[in-house]
Amino acid sequence: MQYQQSIQEFEQFLQASAPQIPSFHPYFAKAFWEMFLYGGKRFRPNLLLAVVSGLNPLMIKNSFLPALALECLHTYSLIHDDLPCMDNAPLRRGKPTLHTTYDEVSATLVGDGLNTYAFYLLSCSKLDSSIQVRLVKELAYAGGIGGMIIGQALDCHFENQALPLEKLQEIHINKTAKLIAASLKMGAIIANATHSLTQDLWDFGLRLGLFFQIRDDVIDAVQEEVQAGKPTRNDWKKNSYVNLLGLAQAKELLQAESSALTQSLHDFPQSIVENLSMLLGDYFKEIA
């Protein structure tokens, strides 16, 4: 119940947190927070809150700015991923993408702004300075050239070129999984978890990130745009699990990863098990 309440309170906090941008630009301030107001799963901040709530619930309110930093960085990545130079997607979270509503320059600059704003938020968090530095390091690593950026570079460069499974996994560990793993690890850092538990959460997060990429590839193949809230049937030229393995085998791999994650989840303290089970339960269900 406490974790569920923290999710609701964080959403209220996010909705009220649009920064003041003093400028005579006619729409940039509106565009800057628009993707947040469209909703989204808030998956990465909720992972962080699941760990903090489970290990040190007194730190929940102090975790909201780091959680928001994660959502800022993730949202920036979606905005840039949708740009004409990358996926050229018209829809995100069931709404028109920023470059569609406004223009490519504005969308690019909003993404740039959210990237840097994430680290500003970490610096403003009500945490010991040593914890702030560790959080900055983790987010910069997972969201930068050590993770998401090189993953996206590989993904874009090798379009229309079939890669073997191990290279496909390397792309998605970097592009998707490391930021998910960092969300859990940052929660552990805030909660002052042991080194071994922090490492176990990171390892679990990497596997969870791969699961989500496989799941996303299956969704792209089987769901309509309205269900997914974004364009589907869009991965035909990309390296995806469906393209490499075929839909049936990709679904089998997805189920195997779901079972393995469910089993390894129970190695964590019971409070974390309960919180993550609440968050992940629907994702482990079979995709319609």
Side-chain angles (χ1 to χ4, degrees):
M1 177 66 85
Q2 188 173 39
Y3 173 50
Q4 199 165 28
Q5 182 178 346
S6 71
I7 290 176
Q8 294 167 353
E9 290 177 353
F10 173 72
E11 181 62 29
Q12 294 167 0
F13 175 82
L14 182 151
Q15 295 288 330
S17 293
Q20 297 297 311
I21 303 177
S23 169
F24 58 86
H25 193 289
Y27 54 76
F28 188 83
K30 178 177 182 291
F32 190 79
W33 216 244
E34 194 162 304
M35 284 281 287
F36 292 92
L37 301 180
Y38 288 164
K41 296 183 288 288
R42 316 295 190 213
F43 183 66
R44 289 149 190 83
N46 287 342
L47 285 172
L48 182 151
L49 295 173
V51 176
V52 176
S53 176
L55 296 178
N56 193 347
L58 293 177
M59 294 297 292
I60 280 290
K61 295 291 176 65
N62 290 15
S63 301
F64 281 178
L65 284 179
L68 183 55
L70 277 165
E71 189 70 359
C72 283
L73 195 91
H74 174 59
T75 302
Y76 126 73
S77 75
L78 299 181
I79 293 168
H80 278 200
D81 197 43
D82 290 336
L83 288 172
C85 64
M86 295 198 194
D87 285 354
N88 196 23
L91 197 69
R92 174 68 68 173
R93 293 174 176 170
K95 302 288 185 179
T97 47
L98 288 188
H99 72 268
T100 304
T101 301
Y102 303 105
D103 52 71
E104 188 174 352
V105 170
S106 296
T108 302
L109 291 173
V110 167
D112 292 342
L114 287 170
N115 184 358
T116 53
Y117 191 57
F119 296 97
Y120 173 76
L121 291 172
L122 290 179
S123 75
C124 293
S125 60
K126 295 180 180 179
L127 299 166
D128 185 83
S129 59
S130 64
I131 299 298
Q132 290 177 343
V133 169
R134 291 179 67 190
L135 296 179
V136 166
K137 180 181 178 181
E138 293 301 329
L139 189 58
Y141 170 72
I145 58 171
M148 189 172 65
I149 297 300
I150 188 59
Q152 181 74 345
L154 289 167
D155 193 36
C156 291
H157 182 77
F158 286 99
E159 283 187 357
N160 298 310
Q161 302 178 59
L163 294 175
L165 181 60
E166 63 271 15
K167 288 188 175 179
L168 178 64
Q169 289 176 327
E170 181 180 342
I171 288 174
H172 291 135
I173 284 172
N174 283 296
K175 182 182 176 183
T176 303
K178 284 184 178 177
L179 191 59
I180 286 175
S183 304
L184 292 164
K185 187 174 183 179
M186 288 168 68
I189 290 169
I190 293 169
N192 196 30
T194 64
H195 175 77
S196 61
L197 177 55
T198 302
Q199 185 61 47
D200 288 346
L201 284 165
W202 169 266
D203 293 341
F204 178 83
L206 290 180
R207 188 159 196 174
L208 181 63
L210 283 178
F211 163 82
F212 268 92
Q213 187 60 57
I214 301 165
R215 185 177 183 273
D216 198 52
D217 289 352
V218 171
I219 285 173
D220 183 81
V222 303
Q223 286 191 355
E224 299 300 326
E225 188 175 280
V226 173
Q227 287 176 280
K230 60 181 181 179
T232 55
R233 319 291 196 275
N234 206 36
D235 288 348
W236 59 271
K237 63 181 179 179
K238 288 181 174 288
N239 281 283
S240 77
Y241 290 91
V242 172
N243 290 343
L244 180 64
L245 303 174
L247 180 58
Q249 196 171 341
K251 283 186 169 183
E252 288 177 10
L253 180 60
L254 182 65
Q255 186 55 51
E257 287 299 310
S258 174
S259 299
L261 285 164
T262 302
Q263 184 173 349
S264 62
L265 180 62
H266 291 280
D267 294 335
F268 294 122
Q270 185 59 32
S271 55
I272 292 181
V273 173
E274 291 173 1
N275 290 348
L276 289 179
S277 295
M278 182 190 305
L279 178 61
L280 299 174
D282 285 343
Y283 295 107
F284 290 154
K285 293 177 181 177
E286 187 174 349
I287 296 171

